[in-house]
Amino acid sequence: MITQAPRGTADWFGKRMSTRTKVEEIARDLCRRYNIKEIITPMFEHTVLFQRGVGETTDVVQKEMYSFVDKGGRGITLKPEGTAGAMRAYCENKLYSEPQPVKMFYVTPAFRYEKPESGRLRQHHQFGVEIVGSENPICEVELITLISTFINKIGLKDAKLHLNSIGDENCKPVYNKALVSYLEEHKECLCPTCQERMYKNPLRVLDCKEEGCKKIVENAPRTIDYLCGDCKNHFDTLCSMLDSLGIPYEVDTGIVRGLDYYTKTVFEFVNSEGFTLCGGGRYDNLVHEIDGKESAPSVGFGMGIERILYFLEKEGIDLVKDESIDLFVGIMGDGARTAAYKTIYDLRMKGFSVETDCLGRSVKAQMKYANKLNSRFSVIVGDDEVASGKCRLKNMETGEESEVTFEGIADIIGM
């Protein structure tokens, strides 16, 4: 239907839009404090970027991507997440020649064809950060402290850090061999997709949402028990730093994340009901997978804006309590319109939020409108006010009125 948005999409307006704007303001301010610069990448990329970067055996690539062939015969995909595009931009624009590490953040739309649910839409929006060019676990600490601070600033209480390490190219093969051996004992009970995946990418079985598969992997070998010396030291250092900062966490060996590019650290912030607020980790080989030449250790996270708003609503947190304006200027008579609007314009240029009547309402109706807008002050401008250069400014909360010059309005409403 022409008057109905496609399933899994949403319109943003009113209080919900104001809340989203506030959430993004807090995120941007934190990135400024951490010296993380904004990057904007295209809404669509070549399909092969996600096949190579995200992984062909992932649910995202196999089931959820919005892909099409354009008029030039090229495979194009609306981006399902922000990391691959940011890494492509890092390679294409030779950001490896800049001082390292390169720290980037984005607020971007993302597209996944999946069943819409609470806090997740087919077109959703992600706040994400990528730190490229360092293998030091202090980079994970940077991200985790940023997320923790963000969660505290928006007032969420029910969100706990879960950590795991899935190893690297040195210890993953040893673990994969042990995992495949275990899965083969239960192969007949796995879903058809996992029966295929267990040989191509066994870690993906651990991330399956089918109840039968979830039950089987409960007793599967744990990645953390197969870490090589380097990966174990990396994870131990990360945990030690978090301990010293007083950031609580739980080592959760069930976390492997749903994308193939992760190595070593993986983490999620999860509520008590198992809903994930955000997730991320390290992906030291992703730049090489994309570029084929360059290599740059990297770490990052993605956080769904819609999921954040869902968490806020669930906990009853109101980030935008008072949507008010500073002043409503009522106009009485056509002759006063130009002078009244000059006052409105001047006050807006000074940074005040000011509204007026655009429908030719009566003075009584204009005051009702001012109340609906939750205006802090109001003033009526007519021919007498224009002639005298003075008006009666009303405090809408107390009802108190005072006579001021048009130039003096700013002094009072700015107090």
Side-chain angles (χ1 to χ4, degrees):
M1 292 178 61
I2 198 170
T3 56
Q4 184 174 338
R7 185 171 186 237
T9 64
D11 299 310
W12 292 89
F13 59 93
K15 183 72 174 287
R16 199 159 184 268
M17 182 69 238
S18 297
T19 302
R20 172 179 164 181
T21 299
K22 183 66 177 177
V23 165
E24 292 183 11
E25 284 176 358
I26 293 171
R28 291 174 186 277
D29 179 64
L30 280 173
C31 288
R32 177 190 61 79
R33 297 190 201 182
Y34 279 70
N35 191 36
I36 304 170
K37 308 301 184 183
E38 185 168 14
I39 184 170
I40 298 176
T41 61
M43 198 174 298
F44 55 87
E45 301 270 4
H46 294 291
T47 300
V48 67
L49 172 67
F50 302 111
Q51 290 173 334
R52 184 179 299 176
V54 174
E56 292 195 51
T57 62
T58 62
D59 281 346
V60 173
V61 171
Q62 289 188 338
K63 303 176 183 179
E64 298 171 2
M65 294 202 312
Y66 280 91
S67 300
F68 60 94
V69 177
D70 70 5
K71 293 182 179 180
R74 294 170 286 260
I76 297 295
T77 295
L78 299 179
K79 60 182 175 184
E81 52 90 48
T83 297
M87 296 300 103
R88 189 269 311 149
Y90 176 89
C91 297
E92 181 176 354
N93 296 287
K94 297 181 173 59
L95 297 184
Y96 43 78
S97 64
E98 301 289 330
Q100 302 295 297
V102 173
K103 301 163 75 174
M104 306 175 281
F105 84 90
Y106 47 80
V107 178
T108 182
F111 305 84
R112 294 190 188 181
Y113 189 84
E114 55 187 344
K115 183 180 179 181
E117 59 182 35
S118 299
R120 170 57 62 85
L121 299 174
R122 288 176 176 175
Q123 178 183 328
H124 57 283
H125 301 81
Q126 288 186 357
F127 162 49
V129 174
E130 319 290 347
I131 300 179
V132 189
S134 172
E135 60 185 11
N136 196 312
I138 197 171
C139 292
E140 281 99 313
V141 176
E142 285 263 275
L143 297 184
I144 289 170
T145 56
L146 187 153
I147 298 166
S148 296
T149 305
F150 173 82
I151 288 171
N152 289 332
K153 277 190 165 293
I154 63 176
L156 288 178
K157 305 297 182 187
D158 187 13
K160 185 177 182 181
L161 171 62
H162 288 225
L163 276 178
N164 190 26
S165 177
I166 59 173
D168 62 10
E169 64 275 8
N170 295 313
C171 47
K172 267 186 177 181
V174 179
Y175 171 73
N176 285 347
K177 183 177 180 181
L179 178 59
V180 170
S181 177
Y182 170 83
L183 293 175
E184 284 180 332
E185 297 176 9
H186 306 274
K187 183 175 181 179
E188 298 305 317
C189 299
L190 295 173
C191 72
T193 301
C194 285
Q195 289 182 14
E196 179 182 349
R197 279 179 176 170
M198 62 181 284
Y199 296 110
K200 293 182 178 180
N201 193 342
L203 269 180
R204 293 280 63 79
V205 179
L206 301 180
D207 200 45
C208 182
K209 302 302 186 289
E210 294 288 337
E211 288 302 321
C213 296
K214 287 167 69 173
K215 190 169 183 62
I216 290 169
V217 301
E218 284 179 358
N219 297 313
R222 306 187 313 161
T223 58
I224 205 166
D225 295 328
Y226 289 79
L227 297 181
C228 63
D230 180 55
C231 289
K232 187 177 187 307
N233 181 63
H234 187 100
F235 190 66
D236 289 345
T237 301
L238 169 59
C239 292
S240 176
M241 292 184 72
L242 294 176
D243 289 336
S244 69
L245 292 168
I247 295 177
Y249 61 88
E250 175 184 327
V251 176
D252 183 348
T253 57
I255 297 177
V256 294
R257 302 296 297 150
L259 308 176
D260 280 357
Y261 49 60
Y262 287 108
T263 55
K264 293 184 179 176
T265 310
V266 287
F267 64 84
E268 295 178 350
F269 280 78
V270 183
N271 79 351
S272 56
E273 297 180 2
F275 280 100
T276 302
L277 173 65
C278 74
R282 178 164 286 280
Y283 28 92
D284 290 343
N285 301 318
L286 180 56
V287 168
H288 178 72
E289 286 293 323
I290 291 172
D291 183 66
K293 296 174 290 185
E294 296 298 329
S295 181
S298 311
V299 63
F301 75 84
M303 178 184 295
I305 300 293
E306 285 83 353
R307 184 57 63 89
I308 296 168
L309 266 60
Y310 171 74
F311 272 52
L312 290 172
E313 292 165 4
K314 191 171 181 62
E315 293 193 29
I317 298 169
D318 190 352
L319 287 183
V320 188
K321 292 182 174 61
D322 298 311
E323 288 194 280
S324 61
I325 61 171
D326 294 316
L327 176 68
F328 180 85
V329 178
I331 302 174
M332 186 167 59
D334 293 342
R337 184 183 297 118
T338 300
Y341 199 82
K342 175 68 165 59
T343 299
I344 293 166
Y345 177 79
D346 289 344
L347 289 168
R348 285 172 174 169
M349 293 304 100
K350 291 177 180 179
F352 296 105
S353 57
V354 187
E355 185 58 281
T356 190
D357 175 52
C358 297
L359 296 179
R361 298 177 176 90
S362 67
V363 172
K364 183 177 180 181
Q366 289 186 60
M367 289 301 97
K368 286 184 177 179
Y369 182 42
N371 275 318
K372 289 180 179 178
L373 295 175
N374 197 23
S375 181
R376 294 172 51 235
F377 292 88
S378 69
V379 66
I380 299 294
V381 179
D383 293 339
D384 292 343
E385 285 75 20
V386 173
S388 67
K390 296 180 179 179
C391 58
R392 297 198 66 79
L393 184 67
K394 181 178 180 180
N395 184 314
M396 297 292 281
E397 183 178 351
T398 66
E400 181 182 352
E401 293 187 7
S402 55
E403 187 174 69
V404 297
T405 63
F406 290 114
E407 293 76 13
I409 293 175
D411 294 333
I412 296 179
I413 68 176
M415 293 175 63

